[in-house]
Amino acid sequence: MTLRRLPENIVNQIAAGEVVERPASAVKELVENAIDAGATKIDVVMRNGGRSLITVTDNGAGMTADELMLSFERHATSKLPDDDLVFIQNLGFRGEAIPSIASVSRMTITTRPEKAKNAWSRTVEGGRHGPVEPVGGTEGTRVEVRDIFFATPARLKFLKTERAEFGAALDALRRLAMAYPSIAFTIADDSRVALRVNAAQGDLFEAWLDRLSAIMGRDFANNAIKIDAERDGIRLAGYAGVPTFNRGNAAMQFMFVNGRPVRDKLFTGAVRGAYMDLLARNRHPLLALFLELPPDQVDVNVHPAKAEVRFRDSGGVRGLIVGALRHALAEHGHRASSTISGQALGAFRNETMSPLPLQSRAGGSGGWGRWNEMPAAISPGLAEENSAYQAPLASDSPPMARAADSSMGKSSSGPQLEQYPLGAARSQLHETYIVAQTTNGLILVDQHAAHERLVMERMKKQLAEKRVARQMLLLPEVVELEEVAAGRLAERAEELAEMGLVLEPFGIGAVVVRETPAMLGDCNIKGLVQDLADDLGELDTALALKDRLDDVCATMACHGSVRAGRRLSIDEMNALLREMEITPHSGQCNHGRPTYVELQLSDIEKLFGRR
């Protein structure tokens, strides 16, 4: 076989295989061109999932006849004025999208620059170029792509259903719409307008939140925490959901780098690290983060579709993401998702208004146990009240004791306690739930879940200060295990001792526990040791326990917390509420479940027809 240069149309079709994987890829590339052209309004229409028609219309800067002629040539671009691939300021820069799409479809571009007397149009079919002709048209550009992949019919066999292809294009447009809230977007298919967002007003954060609310849902806006951090010239901004507002997958996690939507493993890992001790492993937070950094600090030319990037200082970027998220979450203390309250009210309505017999309703979908659902939210209200209670306390005495001393000495049920964010304890239900009254509603607290979080945060603080208090057992406890599990514990004995748990081998398949962390009190030592052995079985032997500190602390805290079924006095309940108000992340337990539910008085009155 003789070496030869491939024909231009074959070269373009090969490039199309990388750049234009499916109709959604064409939509993404064409919309990015419209954004780079300075458009403030972009409309997308698709037919048959993009197979038969894609149109992208914008009001940006149009092209002259000469520019239109050149735009169909490979690597023709206006976005690298200095021929510098380091300082890239635009979404597109390679000049591949239009010739690649035109090589596999019937493509027509109609464009009119500002103040031009007429528009210009050119059609290219499967790489065969037509002439540039004067036509009528408004300022801006309209790109029409018909019969995509007609020139490479084998590619059509790999396309999914029309709904799936349209859904992929909708997802691509949503991501770009999040990054550019000052631009109005619409996308429609054969039967409906699937997305219509107007240009957002106000400052950047207000515009972001307005746009994110329109795309991710109003519940996200009601449960989002503002993120704004900067380090070494790199800025991270955006919004992240509170831990109790979560999903079973990571589909609602969005990352943007210098305005470019990206899917990056570094970002995914950083988010998982930031929420590590706040969510169960199979739950995922909702967030949209925007990273801005100098162009020479990031390489966007590492992926054919520009979906991935490479950072010069990836460790610094990851540290910024983890640190900013953890700091923001800690600042919001005991805040929990407002949707949980809405679900609780929904459960009440189901029980009081449903005509079904009690037996039928017992397994219904309205129970509080389904905390991961996301019904309509109510006003978060309580979240704004907690900031005054987050300052560290001066005393080194246990937080619950200090809270009891400071607030219980006045009155266990006085109206002054109702001024606190979590109110005044009134009763305990089923030795499990605390009922508290606030000035504008009531609070229901899961005493075990709440105290589990408090113990964990206390333990983490003591470990950081290297002063974990121990209590010696009057009678050392022998715990029998499988030989392998006992060996794992023995290997980690020194590290466990730093965390307050002193144990040593006791023959084959057993360990003897001599001291436990004092804060755990009278805990189930056998259950604690067995659970720790199970955790160590899942831990990489090359990692130190300090690298998985949150997991170990969570296991210990679960065994040292106030159990469901234990009766508490009013003073003990109030002390628990006060400590929750000053403890970071107390709105959710170590597994991501909510520790309390707030019910507004106005909503309770609606249940009884008073409003």
Side-chain angles (χ1 to χ4, degrees), residues 386-404:
N386 72 5
S387 57
Y389 298 90
Q390 297 303 314
L393 301 180
S395 171
D396 286 333
S397 59
M400 282 186 70
R402 298 200 304 274

Side-chain angles (χ1 to χ4, degrees), residues 62-72 109-113 116 118-122 130-135:
M63 294 180 285
T64 64
D66 291 340
E67 289 174 325
L68 178 59
M69 175 76 73
L70 192 59
S71 68
F72 286 91
I109 297 181
T110 304
T111 181
R112 179 180 176 180
N118 58 271
W120 299 93
S121 180
R122 189 185 193 190
V132 174
E133 299 175 332
V135 295

